[in-house]
Amino acid sequence: MKIAVYPGSFDPITLGHLDVITRASKLFEKVIMAVVTNPNKTPLIDIDNRVRLAQACTKTLPNVEVTAFEGLTVELANRLNAGVIVRGLRAVSDFEYEFMMAQMNKSLNDDVETVFLAADTDYQFLTSSVVKEVAKLGGDVSGNVPAPVLDYLQQCFEKEQAS
Ligand code: ADP
């Protein structure tokens, strides 16, 4: 069985991420979204809520699972019996970092292959950071994130404004 992992911060999951995971779910028998706890980044959304939101957004995709993880992606892939790491590639900005990571992961474990899915033209310039900035300033991000994320961000920033 071909199992793939799709690692990322997903802080929050956007329509760009959802497009990648939907396409990956058609290419592999099982895809595991691995929501990373990165000790070097302070996320807007805590890990439990990022996992919960990712689960809510992918509930119509029966072969997609969501898990939280910390550590090396290749070790997670080993543990889950996954031979593939899926990453999304947007415009020019992602290339250098993504190639560096793919090469590093290959040197750590030659049996795990990184597969890149080109971002859909609609989502080429969509990043979680921009979504957060716009939502924080009260802008409309409904065209950029799935409904559960939109609700979460609205509640999150309404609470912040009230306090
Ligand atoms: P990370 O911190 O690992 O970069 P992200 O959540 O920002 O985590 O991204 C996870 C993966 O999804 C990365 O491979 C990234 O390039 C990809 N990605 C992010 N946004 C988009 C998008 N709009 N379209 C396609 N892929 C995307």
Side-chain angles (χ1 to χ4, degrees):
M1 170 150 117
K2 256 299 183 222
I3 302 174
V5 281
Y6 178 33
S9 310
F10 306 112
D11 183 37
I13 176 170
T14 67
L15 289 180
H17 293 127
L18 196 55
D19 175 59
V20 168
I21 192 91
T22 303
R23 283 154 59 204
S25 74
K26 292 175 189 153
L27 294 172
F28 303 101
E29 284 165 76
K30 185 156 123 188
V31 185
I32 299 150
M33 262 184 94
V35 186
V36 180
T37 325
N38 184 343
N40 301 321
K41 279 189 184 174
T42 312
L44 170 74
I45 307 174
D46 66 39
I47 187 72
D48 291 345
N49 277 312
R50 276 184 284 149
V51 167
R52 189 182 56 75
L53 286 170
Q55 281 166 337
C57 298
T58 56
K59 67 172 188 233
T60 56
L61 302 170
N63 61 337
V64 172
E65 285 174 18
V66 183
T67 186
F69 109 99
E70 189 176 347
L72 291 173
T73 308
V74 284
E75 277 176 12
L76 178 78
N78 255 346
R79 209 163 60 233
L80 299 172
N81 248 339
V84 171
I85 295 171
V86 171
R87 295 287 287 177
L89 267 190
R90 287 160 297 188
V92 192
S93 55
D94 283 333
F95 275 80
E96 203 168 324
Y97 176 75
E98 291 295 340
F99 281 141
M100 179 190 71
M101 287 309 295
Q103 214 168 342
M104 179 54 79
N105 284 332
K106 196 171 174 57
S107 70
L108 291 170
N109 187 339
D110 203 18
D111 295 329
V112 180
E113 197 64 53
T114 300
V115 169
F116 294 111
L117 295 183
D120 186 279
T121 44
D122 286 348
Y123 309 128
Q124 282 289 339
F125 299 102
L126 177 55
T127 69
S128 297
S129 313
V130 165
V131 163
K132 282 183 279 191
E133 267 189 60
V134 173
K136 192 172 183 173
L137 296 170
D140 178 14
V141 291
S142 56
N144 303 123
V145 294
V149 175
L150 190 65
D151 290 348
Y152 183 90
L153 289 175
Q154 271 165 357
Q155 280 172 23
C156 180
F157 291 122
E158 267 165 24
K159 253 189 233 157
E160 205 173 82
Q161 274 160 12
S163 63

